[in-house]
Amino acid sequence: PFPFELSSCHSRIFENNILLKCTTISETNNFGVESQRAKSETQVPVMCVKIVLVNGSGTSNSSHDYELTNKYVKPGRYIYRLKQIDYKGNFEYHYLSGEVEISLPDQNKLSQNYPNPFNSNTVVNFDLKYSGFVKINIYSSDGKQILSLVNKMTDQGSYSLNIEGNGLSSGLYFYSLNINGKDVQVKRMILLK
């Protein structure tokens, strides 16, 4: 038997994240559910990339909801499938109908880092409405530049930076997005060690 029987599965887009929300009717030895994604123009299952694996509910005759989030997705059209895995390692694929499309950004945007406050690692996302020379820097609370994260020509799109604060001491910092020396946005972050 299949690890589970689906009653519904749909996607929702928020910013550059795709949330798949699926509901089961019943489950049999369901170890887990893995979401996989491929560019829709490839339409080749072997091109799928593993996104996330969530724990299954074993064996159950009641319905369960599963949320699988694909974070920081670059603009494009995608197809998704679910890989259901049982406790013996057997699996079955369920292809989700339709495409999911992430559009190119319609504005320049520097997002708040997450998590904030952070301890050693944090993520900063930014969107570019147009291509340009991009600088992303980190400054101390007294305005001195401490780190240069990006300093190059960058294409239109959405980006994600992982920032390691290992060499920094605890405190308040500012980070800025500067596009072509004109469009500047600033946010603050707190490092707690």
Side-chain angles (χ1 to χ4, degrees):
F2 297 139
F4 67 57
E5 184 181 353
L6 285 175
S7 66
S8 68
C9 196
H10 61 277
S11 62
R12 184 170 62 90
I13 299 171
F14 56 101
E15 294 182 353
N16 278 63
N17 303 305
I18 299 173
L19 171 68
L20 300 177
K21 187 165 184 178
C22 302
T23 302
T24 63
I25 295 172
S26 63
E27 302 183 32
T28 305
N29 295 323
N30 185 17
F31 170 77
V33 182
E34 179 180 293
S35 65
Q36 298 181 347
R37 175 190 83 209
K39 287 261 191 183
S40 71
E41 54 269 12
T42 62
Q43 303 240 346
V44 179
V46 296
M47 298 299 289
C48 282
V49 175
K50 175 183 173 181
I51 305 302
V52 67
L53 172 70
V54 296
N55 293 331
S57 297
T59 299
S60 172
N61 287 325
S62 58
S63 67
H64 294 276
D65 293 324
Y66 292 94
E67 291 188 357
L68 302 106
T69 304
N70 187 185
K71 295 182 178 182
Y72 317 121
V73 181
K74 292 189 181 272
R77 292 187 335 248
Y78 301 94
I79 55 174
Y80 281 85
R81 71 181 181 187
L82 299 178
K83 181 180 181 181
Q84 306 167 21
I85 307 164
D86 70 14
Y87 285 110
K88 293 180 181 177
N90 300 316
F91 59 88
E92 181 72 28
Y93 290 114
H94 285 276
Y95 289 84
L96 306 182
S97 62
E99 295 178 334
V100 179
E101 182 172 2
I102 297 287
S103 302
L104 286 168
D106 59 359
Q107 65 180 353
N108 295 322
K109 180 181 175 187
L110 177 64
S111 296
Q112 183 64 52
N113 66 302
Y114 181 81
N116 190 36
F118 70 101
N119 179 356
S120 73
N121 287 346
T122 190
V123 174
V124 170
N125 297 309
F126 65 99
D127 296 332
L128 300 177
K129 179 179 180 178
Y130 48 82
S131 299
F133 194 85
V134 173
K135 292 182 182 181
I136 297 182
N137 297 316
I138 296 180
Y139 300 89
S140 63
S141 59
D142 61 359
K144 293 180 185 170
Q145 181 180 328
I146 318 177
L147 290 172
S148 176
L149 303 173
V150 177
N151 190 18
K152 63 180 182 177
M153 280 299 295
T154 308
D155 291 333
Q156 175 188 25
S158 298
Y159 298 89
S160 183
L161 295 173
N162 184 37
I163 299 171
E164 293 185 18
N166 295 337
L168 304 174
S169 48
S170 294
L172 172 68
Y173 294 90
F174 295 92
Y175 59 102
S176 69
L177 167 66
N178 180 322
I179 308 164
N180 296 328
K182 299 184 272 187
D183 190 349
V184 179
Q185 298 178 32
V186 178
K187 301 276 185 188
R188 65 183 189 154
M189 65 172 71
I190 298 171
L191 173 60
L192 296 176
K193 289 188 175 182

CSV table of all heavy atoms in Angstrom, one decimal, residues 139-144 174:
chain,number,residue,atom,x,y,z
A,139,TYR,N,27.9,47.7,9.1
A,139,TYR,CA,28.5,48.8,9.8
A,139,TYR,C,28.4,48.6,11.3
A,139,TYR,O,27.3,48.0,11.8
A,139,TYR,CB,27.9,50.1,9.4
A,139,TYR,CG,28.0,50.4,7.9
A,139,TYR,CD1,27.1,50.0,7.0
A,139,TYR,CD2,29.1,51.2,7.5
A,139,TYR,CE1,27.2,50.3,5.7
A,139,TYR,CE2,29.2,51.4,6.1
A,139,TYR,CZ,28.3,51.0,5.2
A,139,TYR,OH,28.4,51.3,3.9
A,140,SER,N,29.3,49.1,12.1
A,140,SER,CA,29.2,49.1,13.5
A,140,SER,C,28.2,50.1,13.9
A,140,SER,O,27.8,51.0,13.1
A,140,SER,CB,30.5,49.3,14.2
A,140,SER,OG,31.0,50.6,13.8
A,141,SER,N,27.8,50.1,15.2
A,141,SER,CA,26.8,51.1,15.7
A,141,SER,C,27.3,52.5,15.6
A,141,SER,O,26.5,53.5,15.6
A,141,SER,CB,26.4,50.8,17.1
A,141,SER,OG,27.5,50.8,18.0
A,142,ASP,N,28.6,52.8,15.5
A,142,ASP,CA,29.1,54.1,15.3
A,142,ASP,C,29.4,54.5,13.9
A,142,ASP,O,30.0,55.5,13.6
A,142,ASP,CB,30.4,54.3,16.2
A,142,ASP,CG,31.5,53.4,15.8
A,142,ASP,OD1,31.4,52.6,14.9
A,142,ASP,OD2,32.6,53.5,16.5
A,143,GLY,N,28.9,53.6,12.9
A,143,GLY,CA,29.0,54.0,11.5
A,143,GLY,C,30.2,53.5,10.8
A,143,GLY,O,30.3,53.8,9.6
A,144,LYS,N,31.1,52.8,11.4
A,144,LYS,CA,32.3,52.3,10.7
A,144,LYS,C,32.0,51.0,9.9
A,144,LYS,O,31.4,50.1,10.5
A,144,LYS,CB,33.4,52.0,11.7
A,144,LYS,CG,33.9,53.3,12.4
A,144,LYS,CD,35.0,52.9,13.3
A,144,LYS,CE,35.4,54.2,14.1
A,144,LYS,NZ,36.3,53.9,15.2
A,174,PHE,N,24.4,47.7,11.7
A,174,PHE,CA,23.6,48.1,10.6
A,174,PHE,C,24.1,47.5,9.3
A,174,PHE,O,25.3,47.3,9.1
A,174,PHE,CB,23.6,49.6,10.4
A,174,PHE,CG,23.0,50.3,11.6
A,174,PHE,CD1,23.8,50.7,12.7
A,174,PHE,CD2,21.7,50.6,11.7
A,174,PHE,CE1,23.3,51.3,13.8
A,174,PHE,CE2,21.1,51.2,12.8
A,174,PHE,CZ,21.9,51.6,13.9
